[in-house]
Amino acid sequence: MLMRRTVSAIFCAVLACSLLRGGEVNEADSCYKLGLTKLRDAQNDHSALIPATALLAKAAMLYEAAGDESKTAEVNSCLYWAKKRMTLADTEAIKASTDIAKRVDDAAKVLPGDQAQSMLAKAEEFAKTHADDALLLAVRYFEVADRFKDSDAGRKAMELSLAALQKLGERANLEVYKPAPTDGKAFIKSEPAGAAIIFVSAEGGKFDTGKITPSVVQLPVGRQVLELALKLYKRASVSIEIDGKTIAKPEAVKLETLTTPIDILFEDGWQVFVDGKPAKGAGGAKAETPCTVELPLGAHEVGLAKDGFWDVKQRVNVVEGGLSSAGRLPANSLSLQSQPSKGTSALLRAKADPASWRNKIVVWNSHNANWANAGTRKFSLTLFSGEKTVFTKADVAMDWSQQQDYPVTIPVDDTLKFDRVRVVVTSWAGRHPSLSEIEVFADGRNVALGKAVKSSGAHNNAEHRDSWKRINDGITNSNRQGTGYWLAPPDGEAWIEIDLSKSAGN
């Protein structure tokens, strides 16, 4: 899925470059202009990095073919910057285009150390004509700094790159949009409120409307695009139709928390935890080293865990663009250098401790009070969302005793959405399948209490014929005859189901 999206992004980026070609604006300049726009966007939205790289690679090839060495070097600096910010997933994705991958590798090839001073001089000359472009200054100086880390030229370049990057963090001074008498109006909202409203012209230029959400803004008649920008949140765009007669009222735009993709590098097969919780990798699967994880801005603890070893932990500070590092530009990878030591993982133990799980299904066995002749040996669990099965676990073994009712706890991923729980008793003690309680915990709260129940049936006597109703009454034992537990008909499999979307009696 990631690969298909990336190939599509690369294709669309290069196509956009070709479509803008025409008149006195040549294709190389168009690609470079669009590539820089995407590269700026990538400072706040990492997903723009691959389209930016595709456009810059195209521009570099065209400038090189035209014999423009100055522009080729300029664009190659941007490609060097982009490569250093690529995650493992990005690097794998650009392999889909051989030309782009080769161009990126060529831009980052090792140079002799004796070129440090001359490259710094060229960067300083470049800075004289680009003093107002903080990103390009940071990019150009970074290449020198990163290539020649241990040289005087490299150290000076790093200082200059950091200074430019600090200016880049300040809000850009966009040209103010001046409404025309023929403009229409739109009422723009966001969640949370307070986002700057930026008008994006058809040519890709950006203009500050001077308004923050929620506000009414004036815009030209027709289909228009706005960008919403709020610190600590990803930038979002909204497309609206302005008719000049009514106030357009699009739905409130829900802003996503800004995260930064970070490569976690260590021995293969260590599970990644962030602030004590399992991290997710590509496709929502659990993240295992080496991998890329999305980290929110701020301070966090990254932990690595593996059976039979002590945990490896490290504190990190995530800023826009990567991990904060004193005296260096933000990095997009974390390489933990600790030597693994034999021991017991506290992170995995906490994960395995049912008491620590906030989302789980707890099934309680039964022994049928004084009779002590009924209960469950094995069951299967199925979770449904509507009519769709979203989770199943078969042959779950249960401990059974004639004196005590033991529970079995099954963790449920907090991203799993379901509204119905079914338990099928497939093996039982004595003649009757029997259970005391089924609990469904969501964020630590039992949401099964008082919900609608149905079953395959109950033992047909006065004490037990309605016993299926007791499966979610809050009583987790069968110590008292005919109270708090379900006793199914004898000598056969039995099922019971809780509908979390309905209350009992509905």
Side-chain angles (χ1 to χ4, degrees), residues 50-121:
I50 294 298
T53 303
L55 289 161
L56 293 169
K58 178 72 171 178
M61 286 185 272
L62 292 169
Y63 283 131
E64 186 176 77
D68 193 332
E69 294 182 4
S70 177
K71 276 293 187 183
T72 301
E74 186 177 328
V75 181
N76 279 342
S77 289
C78 294
L79 287 171
Y80 189 93
W81 171 278
K83 181 175 176 62
K84 292 296 180 175
R85 274 147 188 75
M86 286 184 182
T87 63
L88 295 170
D90 295 331
T91 302
E92 188 64 28
I94 65 168
K95 292 179 181 178
S97 173
T98 305
D99 289 343
I100 293 172
K102 184 178 184 307
R103 177 58 57 172
V104 171
D105 287 341
D106 286 348
K109 65 183 179 183
V110 177
L111 298 179
D114 59 7
Q115 293 191 23
Q117 196 58 50
S118 64
M119 284 193 70
L120 176 60

Side-chain angles (χ1 to χ4, degrees), residues 20 30-45 48-49 51-52 55-56 133 135-136 200 203-206 227:
L20 282 183
S30 297
C31 286
Y32 188 30
K33 180 181 177 181
L34 275 174
L36 283 179
T37 298
K38 290 291 185 183
L39 197 63
R40 296 183 206 282
D41 291 342
Q43 294 302 111
N44 297 302
D45 181 3
L49 187 64
L55 289 161
L56 293 169
D133 197 324
L135 176 63
L136 282 182
V200 183
E203 295 77 28
K206 296 183 180 181
E227 186 176 271

Side-chain angles (χ1 to χ4, degrees), residues 20-30:
L20 282 183
R21 189 172 108 192
E24 70 280 0
V25 181
N26 63 42
E27 188 177 5
D29 288 340
S30 297

Side-chain angles (χ1 to χ4, degrees), residues 87 237 253 451:
T87 63
S237 64
V253 178
K451 296 301 182 181

